[in-house]
Amino acid sequence: MGKLKLRIFTLIFFISSVFFISNAQDVNALSCAESGGPQEQLEIYDGAVYGEVKQVKVDLKQEGFTGTKEKISYILVEVERSWDTEVDSQLIIATNFTWGFDFKEGNKYLIYFSELDGELSSSPCSLTIEMNNLNQATELFGEGFPPKQQVNVEHKMWFMFEQDIDLFIVGRICGDLYLLHESKKEKAQSIIWLR
């Protein structure tokens, strides 16, 4: 029994050490070229939307199991109007956690976005404008497009976590295996006593 506990604790310590050592942080610098006013920005990016930010969540993205970790902010936007690209009534847009715009839930913004591999993102270098009403945006760009279809993508925000849960999962599995082993051992001892 003592050797098994020592092995399990050694395994947990080893796995924990690997995670802590592999969590080195990268340093990023931001350099934005002068990109002009609202009209010029619309030519640079894939499109722009005006709408209310319903949720702001931070998610920890990681390449592979031990790859570089990066925090990304995601905003859920209830779209009222779009320009250059027709979009659905709700969008999730990724923003840079460190350099991105500080979006507030309940406020309305004009947000420029780009699409890459099916994910929409707002560059920290894009011009994001907080606006009180749609008229301000339509004065800049014209009528634009209403949402092409009503959707609800709020459920996609549920599984975004700022914390790294990999270590918790590994610890839980090790703990469950230990408990399973102990219960089998107790069951075996009780069978021996019955004989």
Side-chain angles (χ1 to χ4, degrees), residues 186-195:
E186 286 178 14
K187 193 182 258 187
Q189 284 179 351
S190 66
I191 290 173
I192 291 171
W193 281 101
L194 291 175
R195 289 185 182 179

Side-chain angles (χ1 to χ4, degrees), residues 140-158:
L140 290 171
F141 305 118
E143 282 302 310
F145 304 107
K148 63 181 176 183
Q149 66 179 357
Q150 293 294 317
V151 296
N152 185 347
V153 295
E154 187 174 351
H155 64 280
K156 293 182 179 181
M157 303 282 279
W158 293 347

Side-chain angles (χ1 to χ4, degrees), residues 121-149:
S121 65
S122 175
S123 168
C125 296
S126 69
L127 182 65
T128 299
I129 306 169
E130 186 173 352
M131 294 184 168
N132 296 328
N133 62 48
L134 180 59
N135 292 338
Q136 292 175 288
T138 55
E139 286 175 15
L140 290 171
F141 305 118
E143 282 302 310
F145 304 107
K148 63 181 176 183
Q149 66 179 357

Side-chain angles (χ1 to χ4, degrees), residues 48-81:
V49 295
Y50 172 79
E52 180 181 347
V53 172
K54 299 302 240 177
Q55 279 188 45
V56 178
K57 283 251 186 142
V58 176
D59 194 19
L60 190 64
K61 292 288 184 181
Q62 181 176 0
E63 295 177 23
F65 196 61
T66 59
T68 304
K69 295 178 183 180
E70 178 184 11
K71 286 185 179 181
I72 299 175
S73 293
Y74 288 93
I75 55 172
L76 175 66
V77 180
E78 187 75 40
V79 176
E80 292 182 30
R81 196 74 63 178

Side-chain angles (χ1 to χ4, degrees), residues 86-113:
E86 283 188 275
V87 297
D88 293 335
S89 63
Q90 283 190 342
L91 298 176
I92 296 175
I93 301 175
T95 66
N96 187 289
F97 178 76
T98 306
W99 302 106
F101 192 85
D102 186 22
F103 291 98
K104 304 288 185 214
E105 292 180 10
N107 291 357
K108 294 184 177 187
Y109 300 92
L110 175 68
I111 305 166
Y112 295 89
F113 66 88

